[in-house]
Every structure is written in structure tokens, then in C-alpha cells.
Amino acid sequence: MTTPATLINNPQTSTKKRRKWQSYALFFILPAFILYTLFVIVPTVGSIYYSFTSWDGISPDIRFIGLANFVEIWNSPRVHNALKNTMIMTISLVLLENVVAILLALLVDKVRWLSKLFRSIFYFPTLLSGIVMGFVWAMLLNYNFGVINQMLNKIGLGALAVDWLGDPRYAMLAIVLSTVWKGAGYYMIIYLAGLQGIPQELNEAASIDGANGWQQFRHITFPLLAGSVTVCMVLAMIGALKIFDQIAVMTDGGPGFETETLTYLIYKVGFGELRQGFGTALAIVLFLIIMIITVIQVKFLQKREVEL
């Protein structure tokens, strides 16, 4: 069957026909390109410009201040604290989400009865929006009427009931664990697809040779999941660096600034303090951080895939 691609690439096709098909291709691409330009390229260029201004986001008066915003970012203790919180939350989420996802995938892969039901149960939290999930966990963790503290009181462990979202020692932990509950099911599906692509003959041969379950996982299953690990680690890292919804609903960056991350700080200074110029500069810094970490992570994980 003759297709536009074959006509264009065929050396016997006349120049006139080739240009005709190319013009048709440009015609179909043009709407998407216009939308991409309006909603991605133009805002990106505008953000770079606003990062060098003291614009408040409302006033038509836009004053160019050069690198002042970036100098303030470099010297700001609040930004340093937000960066520290972001790194702690990112490392915790990347590790926990992937460990839990692998365990869930192994469990579902081994289950023979009601396996589809378990997949649905584990995947269901992923369907909830971050806002809904935040409200649910905020109610569960409420100090006065939350289900968790009520249960601890009922079983005689009232001494363990704490203000999960109001105590600086537990607020970060509460956000991390609730986010793992929401996100692990998504990565479980990716790992499950990887597990089902591993030939069962390898594990059967290892079992005959006397390898136990842990040895089979360590030397066969996990190395062959390297591609899935790369995808899930990168996605989890990007998601953790951009986390916003849960913090906005559950703690509002508090108590104090204990759970304020870079993403939430951008929102607070840009819309709460009407410092769009500074917030935009901070967003550019966050973009560079995500890009650098992603490139390093992908190169390291892909190198590991080759070595395996």
C-alpha cells in the first residue's frame, strides 16, 4: 500500500509530488504547533524574562532588576530550608515508593486467586487526585477526631497518639507515607509488567540448582527488572520534586516551615506574597535542578542496565 512516507522517501517520486505531501504534513502539524507555541514556548520565554524583574503579578509596572532574584535565592535561609525539605522528601519517596511497589508486584504476581482484585485494590489510590488524597489523610491523622488516634486510644495505646500534622517531628513523615500509599500502585503496574516478561524457566532452573526465593530475586528477578527500575526511579524522582497538592491540603507548609518544599515555596511567594518575579526565578532554579538530577540518574541507571 502506498503511503505518504513512501512517496516522500521514494527517489523516483517527483519533486512536485514530494513538496505536495510535505505541505499536507505541515498543514496537519500546524494546529498542534500553534497550541504548543502559545501554551509552552511563549510562557517559557516570558518566565525567563519575568525572573529578572520585580513584577508582583498584577501591576502593569514591570521593573527589570537583573540577577537580584537569583542572588536572593542563593542567600535566602528560607530557600535553603525548602531545598533541604525537598531533598529529604524526594529521597524518601523515591526509595519507599519503589520498594513498596516491587513488593506489591511480587505479591500480586505470585497470587493465583483473586489476583485481579488485589491489583485493583493496590492501584485504586492512584486514581485519586492529590487534593482528595490530602483531605482523606488530613482527616485520618487529625489529632482530635482522626481515626488513627481514635484507634490507638481504643486499644489502650493512647500514649502513642500524637499530632501527626502539627508536630514538626511527624509532619514530614505523614506526608511521605500518605504519598507512598497513593503512588506505589502506579509503579506496581510497571514492575508487574516487567515481572511477567521474565522467563519462568530461569527461576525454575535456579530452584532446581538449590537457590532459595531471596537468591532467585537477587540474582535473576531484580537484575532483569533493570529497565523497569530506571523508568520508575525517574518518574518517582520527578514526581517527588514537584509534590504540591498533599502539602497544600495537609500542612500548608507547616508547622512553621518544616514541610515547605521548593514547589510550595514558589506558590507561596508568587501568589501569597505577590512576588511573581522571585517565584518565577525560583521555578527556573527548580527546573534546572530537576533536569540535572534526571540526566545524572538516567545515565547512572542506564549504565547499570548495560552492566547487568
Side-chain angles (χ1 to χ4, degrees):
M1 182 177 66
T2 304
T3 63
T6 57
L7 287 174
I8 293 174
N9 296 323
N10 190 347
Q12 296 179 351
T13 304
S14 65
T15 303
K16 185 177 180 180
K17 287 185 177 180
R18 188 179 295 111
R19 288 178 178 175
K20 178 182 177 181
W21 282 109
Q22 288 175 344
S23 64
Y24 287 157
L26 291 175
F27 177 76
F28 285 107
I29 293 172
L30 188 60
F33 178 75
I34 292 174
L35 290 175
Y36 184 80
T37 301
L38 290 176
F39 292 101
V40 177
I41 296 178
V42 172
T44 300
V45 174
S47 296
I48 295 173
Y49 169 72
Y50 290 132
S51 67
F52 296 102
T53 70
S54 61
W55 187 43
D56 60 5
I58 299 176
S59 172
D61 181 24
I62 302 176
R63 185 166 60 89
F64 184 82
I65 58 174
L67 296 173
N69 287 326
F70 295 95
V71 172
E72 182 178 353
I73 289 173
W74 181 264
N75 296 320
S76 172
R78 187 179 179 185
V79 174
H80 298 165
N81 177 72
L83 178 61
K84 181 196 71 174
N85 293 338
T86 301
M87 292 298 106
I88 293 174
M89 195 170 292
T90 299
I91 294 171
S92 302
L93 285 174
V94 169
L95 294 178
L96 288 176
E97 282 184 329
N98 281 275
V99 170
V100 173
I102 290 176
L103 293 176
L104 292 178
L106 290 171
L107 175 63
V108 172
D109 189 52
K110 298 297 183 183
V111 170
R112 292 294 175 260
W113 294 93
L114 301 175
S115 60
K116 293 183 180 179
L117 175 62
F118 284 112
R119 294 182 192 183
S120 301
I121 292 173
F122 295 145
Y123 185 75
F124 175 75
T126 305
L127 303 177
L128 299 176
S129 70
I131 296 294
V132 172
M133 186 277 288
F135 275 118
V136 170
W137 278 95
M139 289 187 290
L140 291 174
L141 298 172
N142 186 275
Y143 178 70
N144 296 313
F145 56 81
V147 173
I148 293 178
N149 282 350
Q150 292 292 331
M151 290 179 58
L152 291 174
N153 289 325
K154 291 290 185 182
I155 62 177
L157 297 176
L160 298 179
V162 297
D163 189 359
W164 300 101
L165 301 177
D167 192 323
R169 296 173 296 176
Y170 304 108
M172 179 80 73
L173 177 64
I175 292 176
V176 168
L177 293 181
S178 60
T179 305
V180 170
W181 172 82
K182 180 183 185 300
Y186 176 79
Y187 304 112
M188 176 200 71
I189 298 299
I190 299 176
Y191 283 122
L192 187 59
L195 286 173
Q196 294 178 347
I198 298 175
Q200 292 299 317
E201 294 79 5
L202 297 176
N203 286 319
E204 291 173 0
S207 179
I208 293 173
D209 290 337
N212 56 34
W214 165 249
Q215 290 171 331
Q216 292 178 35
F217 173 78
R218 179 183 176 186
H219 298 289
I220 298 175
T221 304
F222 188 69
L224 292 177
L225 282 177
S228 300
V229 171
T230 299
V231 173
C232 291
M233 291 284 283
V234 172
L235 291 177
M237 187 275 299
I238 295 174
L241 286 172
K242 299 191 302 179
I243 186 171
F244 174 83
D245 297 350
Q246 296 89 316
I247 298 173
V249 174
M250 296 174 67
T251 63
D252 193 29
F257 301 104
E258 290 298 322
T259 59
E260 186 176 70
T261 60
L262 286 177
T263 307
Y264 199 67
L265 179 58
I266 292 169
Y267 162 75
K268 293 285 282 188
V269 299
F271 297 96
E273 302 173 11
L274 296 181
R275 302 183 62 198
Q276 280 287 347
F278 182 78
T280 305
L282 195 56
I284 290 176
V285 171
L286 177 61
F287 166 75
L288 294 175
I289 292 173
I290 293 176
M291 183 178 66
I292 292 171
I293 294 178
T294 301
V295 170
I296 294 173
Q297 188 180 34
V298 169
K299 285 186 175 295
F300 173 78
L301 292 174
Q302 286 181 340
K303 181 181 177 181
R304 175 180 172 276
E305 290 180 31
V306 174
E307 290 176 349
L308 292 174

